[in-house]
Amino acid sequence: MSVVNWKHHALIQPLLARGPQKEQEINKIFAGVTGKNPGNHQQHFNDYLSKINKELSYVQFELRCCRNQNDGQVCYGVVNNVSDEQSKLGTKYSTPQIALYRGILEAIVQDARAKGYISIIDALNIRLENQLPTENGSQSQDGVPPALRNFSMSQKEKTVNELVHDQWLSYCTDGNVGLGVRSFLDLRSWFRNNDVPFCAVCNEAAVKAELCQGEDCSVRIHNYCLKKKFSQRRSERACPTCGTPWKYQMPKAEAVEFDGEPNDSSQSQPHAEPMQSQQALGSKRKKPPRTSRTNDAEITGQGSHQDSPSSVDFKRVTRASARSR
């Protein structure tokens, strides 16, 4: 007898059909099919997630939750853990499109300022031939695959729009483009493998974060983690590593909200920190052996735990080096 029923299916089907969903939407569905509010029945909610993941593991899928670093919202999504050639063939993106995404991804995570975005102009001007290893077949005399050489500017624009639609990328203000929630869900292991600096509070990749003002300190903290950390009345507003005073002013309305637990009972515990749900989903915090270069299958949602060759080496940057840019 299966451990899941139609109620579990009701939770997973929107994620499979529509892609990653915000926590509020998942909570609404859960309350609708079970009659229980996740905020008041957290263990029951976690049990549902665990059962779903147990079944998904048989087909190499995984249900995950993460924070969208663009707005701090907790989101849920289904990712594919397979990373073999058959899986890569199943992707909807062409080789030039994957190369463009990889170039945008690497440009964003290598930014020492941790702004979490690049300009759309810079994104469209990324040289695709720098994003793929040399292949043996179907190349021109200079070693650049024709598919990359012939990829036009209009095709790049169309690809960026498609990646935004599929939530791999997102449009920011002032003509910039950043990572989408699907990238934060699928590329967790890639961030660790490539030494992307992590948040000193939540230990997740700090792609979009605030930097410590200390000259020789490389500490980064997400804005939403700062709100939570500095909202505590007894918390010292200083860098947790070097002690440098952190210039951060809590907005009055938000300071009141963060003084205690959220009053809205419709919000589950992950609204404060998605640790409980990540544990229910089987999230692991152990850092795997270091590798580099983006995995094609992981980029396109086809895998997230395999290694691939690379010429890119991400290093932690100090505040001083960031200022010199």
Side-chain angles (χ1 to χ4, degrees), residues 54-292:
K54 184 177 180 180
E55 294 298 305
L56 289 177
S57 66
Y58 291 114
V59 288
Q60 302 297 317
F61 279 88
E62 180 183 349
L63 173 60
R64 292 181 184 172
C65 75
C66 75
R67 281 195 184 273
N68 185 339
Q69 296 189 24
N70 298 310
D71 57 16
Q73 297 259 356
V74 175
C75 297
Y76 289 81
V78 175
V79 301
N80 192 333
N81 289 327
V82 176
S83 184
D84 53 23
E85 290 304 318
Q86 289 77 11
S87 178
K88 293 179 183 180
L89 291 173
T91 178
K92 62 177 286 187
Y93 299 107
S94 66
T95 297
Q97 288 178 314
I98 293 174
L100 178 61
Y101 173 77
R102 180 187 291 113
I104 295 173
L105 168 68
E106 293 178 352
I108 290 173
V109 300
Q110 288 184 83
D111 182 11
R113 300 165 299 172
K115 295 296 184 182
Y117 58 78
I118 61 173
S119 72
I120 188 65
I121 299 300
D122 288 341
L124 296 177
N125 283 290
I126 287 175
R127 296 179 63 87
L128 302 188
E129 59 268 29
N130 296 335
Q131 305 306 319
L132 289 179
T134 302
E135 301 173 354
N136 293 326
S138 184
Q139 293 181 352
S140 61
Q141 292 182 352
D142 60 0
V144 179
L148 301 188
R149 180 183 296 280
N150 300 327
F151 204 64
S152 66
M153 187 65 70
S154 62
Q155 287 175 302
K156 288 183 177 180
E157 289 185 277
K158 184 178 179 180
T159 297
V160 171
N161 288 332
E162 188 174 347
L163 290 166
V164 169
H165 177 269
D166 292 341
Q167 302 187 68
W168 289 106
L169 297 177
S170 64
Y171 285 126
C172 308
T173 57
D174 302 324
N176 298 312
V177 61
L179 298 184
V181 64
R182 200 166 175 184
S183 292
F184 294 119
L185 279 167
D186 278 63
L187 301 184
R188 179 180 294 159
S189 62
W190 186 88
F191 292 140
R192 291 190 178 276
N193 291 342
N194 288 276
D195 287 344
V196 177
F198 275 62
C199 172
V201 174
C202 71
N203 198 33
E204 291 292 342
V207 176
K208 180 179 176 63
E210 302 292 328
L211 304 179
C212 174
Q213 299 299 308
E215 288 292 336
D216 298 316
C217 185
S218 60
V219 166
R220 298 183 181 190
I221 301 179
H222 297 126
N223 187 267
Y224 47 83
C225 288
L226 284 172
K227 290 179 182 179
K228 181 180 179 182
K229 179 178 176 63
F230 293 155
S231 66
Q232 301 171 7
R233 297 183 183 278
R234 298 181 181 179
S235 176
E236 182 183 4
R237 297 191 178 185
C239 174
T241 298
C242 70
T244 300
W246 204 290
K247 296 181 180 179
Y248 179 83
Q249 185 172 1
M250 176 73 69
K252 291 183 179 180
E254 293 178 353
V256 173
E257 177 183 350
F258 279 86
D259 277 344
E261 294 298 322
N263 293 325
D264 186 357
S265 61
S266 66
Q267 302 301 314
S268 65
Q269 187 64 25
H271 181 75
E273 177 61 38
M275 279 300 298
Q276 279 187 312
S277 291
Q278 286 183 0
Q279 290 170 358
L281 298 177
S283 172
K284 297 178 177 60
R285 296 279 180 176
K286 295 178 67 177
K287 184 174 180 179
R290 177 182 175 186
T291 61
S292 54

